[in-house]
Amino acid sequence: MSNISLIIEERPHDIGNFMVGRLLPFRGKRTVGPFIFLDHMGPACMSEYQNIDIPPHPHIGLSTLTYLFEGSIMHRDSLGVEMEIKPGQVNWMTAGKGIVHSERTPDYLRTSDKMLHGLQIWVAMPKDLETMEPSFYHASENEIPAWENDGVSYKLIAGTAFGHESPVPVYSKLFLLELKSTAEKTIKIGHELFGEVAIYILEGSIENEGISYEPKRILVAKQDELCEFTLKENSTIYIFGGEPFPEERFIYWNFVSSSKEAIEEAKTQWKEQTFPKIPGETEFVPLPT
């Protein structure tokens, strides 16, 4: 009997001047552990006149995780952080009580052809930390734990798993793992993971109980024991999840909270432009109507 309870396919979503594949939230599964949002960006080949320009916009009650496979994004925020993220690196921004950031193509790439491909993820915060002070953390590629087991390459992008711990400062029990293999391999995970578990297939395919699953979809496990599955040749997958929170999380636009009142307050603050400002930025994304 298969341990797959739900299959979620990417749905196209316009985030301004860029189309992404939205995976979470999904009507049949709002969250996987504390993971509340997952977008697959690209792969997109952009010409010299096409650039990513997402003006200043606010967040509350979550941490954002950006992980790129190709390309580059310049992050600027209301803490004064200006950080370019490149492939294999992690940008982890904790909104807490409120932060504003922008995401743009770096200046040196704006007049040349370029690629962009990666993941944008939101992680909900524990109720008692939802209004903490905002913060930002950048992890270089060589800081991310990486190892090989039976010909399969592993990276622990965030959280804890298999006796490893990522330096990314998460606030609850979670994991985000990358698995790559050039040859067909049997993956046996068993009870190594915890809470809710899902697999995102980026490229290649996996086989479980005689059924083959193709890219650009999430497979949600019925229980944390994934048992075993076959990772087909030239495949890359992401296993993510963790302990779910006891309280429901509400989402409106870029705001996540266990309190509807907190979201209403954030909406008012953004309308009145009382959120902190990004140094040197004057544009902003209006509140959706």
Side-chain angles (χ1 to χ4, degrees):
M1 183 177 178
S2 174
N3 190 34
I4 305 301
S5 67
L6 182 66
I7 302 170
I8 303 173
E9 297 191 2
E10 288 186 15
R11 293 95 62 202
H13 187 81
D14 190 349
I15 60 170
N17 61 343
F18 195 71
M19 292 295 293
V20 299
R22 179 138 305 164
L23 291 143
L24 286 178
F26 179 67
R27 63 182 181 276
K29 184 66 177 171
R30 305 296 295 175
T31 60
V32 175
F35 289 82
I36 199 165
F37 179 98
L38 197 161
D39 271 357
H40 175 209
M41 304 182 293
C45 180
M46 297 182 290
S47 63
E48 71 276 2
Y49 58 86
Q50 294 174 309
N51 293 294
I52 292 294
D53 277 304
I54 304 175
H57 56 281
H59 290 283
I60 65 165
L62 55 80
S63 295
T64 64
L65 188 155
T66 304
Y67 185 72
L68 298 183
F69 314 129
E70 295 180 271
S72 175
I73 296 175
M74 182 62 74
H75 161 100
R76 294 183 178 90
D77 66 37
S78 52
L79 296 174
V81 173
E82 185 170 323
M83 177 64 70
E84 181 182 0
I85 181 171
K86 296 182 178 182
Q89 302 175 345
V90 175
N91 271 5
W92 175 262
M93 183 186 75
T94 296
K97 66 181 184 181
I99 198 168
V100 177
H101 76 135
S102 64
E103 296 159 290
R104 302 183 187 276
T105 300
D107 289 344
Y108 72 93
L109 292 175
R110 296 184 73 86
T111 56
S112 59
D113 292 346
K114 63 200 76 80
M115 289 290 295
L116 186 66
H117 191 198
L119 297 177
Q120 285 253 335
I121 294 168
W122 294 358
V123 180
M125 301 180 69
K127 185 176 181 179
D128 62 339
L129 295 177
E130 285 182 321
T131 57
M132 69 179 283
E133 291 296 322
S135 62
F136 180 87
Y137 182 87
H138 175 85
S140 60
E141 186 174 10
N142 60 10
E143 293 178 89
I144 303 300
W147 67 97
E148 189 168 301
N149 184 25
D150 188 30
V152 178
S153 297
Y154 290 75
K155 282 186 182 179
L156 181 60
I157 298 166
T160 57
F162 302 102
H164 298 270
E165 182 174 1
S166 168
V168 175
V170 302
Y171 301 101
S172 64
K173 293 183 65 178
L174 61 86
F175 48 86
L176 173 59
L177 285 154
E178 176 187 86
L179 278 67
K180 285 178 174 280
S181 182
T182 56
E184 182 174 308
K185 294 290 181 179
T186 298
I187 308 296
K188 297 181 180 180
I189 291 178
H191 290 290
E192 293 287 346
L193 303 178
F194 50 87
E196 296 182 327
V197 181
I199 299 172
Y200 172 60
I201 306 168
L202 176 70
E203 57 188 2
S205 63
I206 72 169
E207 187 176 295
N208 178 251
E209 300 290 335
I211 302 172
S212 181
Y213 299 96
E214 301 301 318
K216 297 189 177 182
R217 63 198 65 198
I218 289 175
L219 311 178
V220 181
K222 292 177 182 175
Q223 53 195 19
D224 60 3
E225 185 179 1
L226 276 175
C227 301
E228 64 179 64
F229 59 90
T230 302
L231 185 63
K232 293 296 188 175
E233 63 274 5
N234 301 317
S235 293
T236 302
I237 65 170
Y238 293 84
I239 303 178
F240 66 97
E243 297 291 351
F245 297 126
E247 319 88 5
E248 182 180 0
R249 289 299 183 276
F250 303 103
I251 304 178
Y252 172 84
W253 190 39
N254 302 315
F255 306 138
V256 172
S257 180
S258 59
S259 163
K260 289 183 178 179
E261 291 76 15
I263 289 177
E264 289 302 315
E265 183 179 342
K267 288 164 66 175
T268 299
Q269 288 178 340
W270 189 245
K271 282 180 185 176
E272 297 176 351
Q273 283 296 291
T274 55
F275 266 84
K277 300 290 192 291
I278 302 174
E281 293 262 23
T282 56
E283 293 182 88
F284 65 90
V285 180
L287 190 77
T289 55

